[in-house]
Amino acid sequence: MPVVDMVLIALAGLGAGAINTLVGSGTLITFPTLVALGYPPVTSTMSNAIGLVAGGVSGTWGYRRELRGQWHRLRWQIPASFVGAALGAWLLLNLPETVFEQVVPVLLIAALVLVVVGPRIQSYARARAEAAGQSAEHVSRLQLASVVFATFAVGVYGGYFTAAQGILLIAAMGALLPEDMQRMNAAKNLLSLVVNIVAAVAYTLVAFDRISWVAAGLIAAGSLVGGFLGARYGRRLSPNALRAVIVVVGIIGLYRLLTL
């Protein structure tokens, strides 16, 4: 592999690791980079998923404080992500590459709308809870079931393609849970990491020879550093600033998806 290509892939991994920690659409940097350098789409998807595991680890570790107090919900969401990712990886390995091409942009647009209107939905939910004599932080069984199902659905998507799964998770949790943006971002990082690990293991076991291990290693090295940087600076952003970053990156990602 030419040195220039190696540098480009490592830099793409760095950017993807940082953006995944902040928002969750870093694949929209690394995937087009690999495709532009001549890698087949499926090889790019699998190599990218494996490489971004390192960035997921560093990003999740950086947000570990914000995970406290969420385990009563995460104990249900983590298995949902695990099962969804396994199904998504199976779909990637067994279905034509074009199956989700028309669905992905629609999902991303819906997610961005939910990110924008999320605060109003949360305010409405809090008002209803208070009117019913419940705590503003109360989460009903229906809300919990909806969050778990949404987590499973995003896991399927993430196991198949990975791009923008973080935005979809933030959108779903923001619409259904009375949570702070930074805490939801921490949960998103952990759940996305679960999806990427499951997908990476599945790809390795089933399609070892179709993976570019050099590209995966370069993305891993870059994303590991990027994840630390994203956590360090992302935790300083206000909820509104973080929401704005998500929307801007999501719009850019939507454009990239439509022009791949």
Side-chain angles (χ1 to χ4, degrees):
M1 179 186 296
V3 174
V4 174
D5 290 2
M6 295 175 68
V7 172
L8 287 174
I9 294 172
L11 288 175
L14 177 69
I19 290 176
N20 273 344
T21 302
L22 280 172
V23 182
S25 58
T27 289
L28 297 175
I29 296 177
T30 45
F31 178 77
T33 298
L34 293 178
V35 171
L37 292 175
Y39 291 92
V42 172
T43 295
S44 299
T45 297
M46 293 189 292
S47 304
N48 173 66
I50 291 170
L52 289 179
V53 168
V57 171
S58 59
T60 300
W61 177 256
Y63 267 91
R64 63 192 181 279
R65 285 188 296 177
E66 285 76 9
L67 287 172
R68 294 171 185 168
Q70 299 195 61
W71 294 105
H72 64 288
R73 184 181 69 255
L74 289 171
R75 63 183 179 134
W76 298 102
Q77 287 183 275
I78 290 173
S81 286
F82 183 94
V83 176
L87 177 56
W90 182 87
L91 291 174
L92 177 68
L93 294 168
N94 291 275
L95 294 180
E97 298 177 24
T98 56
V99 171
F100 283 179
E101 284 184 0
Q102 295 180 342
V103 177
V104 171
V106 175
L107 287 175
L108 188 51
I109 291 171
L112 292 175
V113 171
L114 284 175
V115 169
V116 172
V117 303
R120 294 186 180 181
I121 296 174
Q122 288 181 337
S123 297
Y124 173 74
R126 286 193 179 99
R128 287 195 60 183
E130 291 172 356
Q134 298 170 334
S135 166
E137 305 303 315
H138 174 75
V139 177
S140 68
R141 291 185 178 181
L142 178 60
Q143 283 175 293
L144 179 59
S146 299
V147 168
V148 172
F149 177 78
T151 302
F152 166 77
V154 175
V156 175
Y157 168 83
Y160 186 93
F161 186 53
T162 74
Q165 63 170 316
I167 294 177
L168 295 174
L169 276 170
I170 288 285
M173 290 189 291
L176 295 168
L177 298 173
E179 276 288 4
D180 173 79
M181 275 295 295
Q182 293 288 4
R183 284 168 56 82
M184 287 191 294
N185 201 40
K188 176 267 294 178
N189 287 338
L190 175 60
L191 295 171
S192 297
L193 174 61
V194 170
V195 171
N196 277 355
I197 289 175
V198 172
V201 171
Y203 301 156
T204 300
L205 292 175
V206 179
F208 186 91
D209 59 332
R210 299 175 67 186
I211 297 166
S212 171
W213 291 101
V214 174
L218 291 168
I219 291 173
S223 68
L224 183 66
V225 177
F228 278 119
L229 294 175
R232 178 176 181 179
Y233 295 103
R235 293 172 69 250
R236 301 177 183 178
L237 293 175
S238 68
N240 287 337
L242 182 57
R243 200 180 301 276
V245 171
I246 291 173
V247 172
V248 170
V249 174
I251 292 173
I252 295 172
L254 178 63
Y255 171 79
R256 296 294 298 273
L257 279 172
L258 294 174
T259 56
L260 282 177

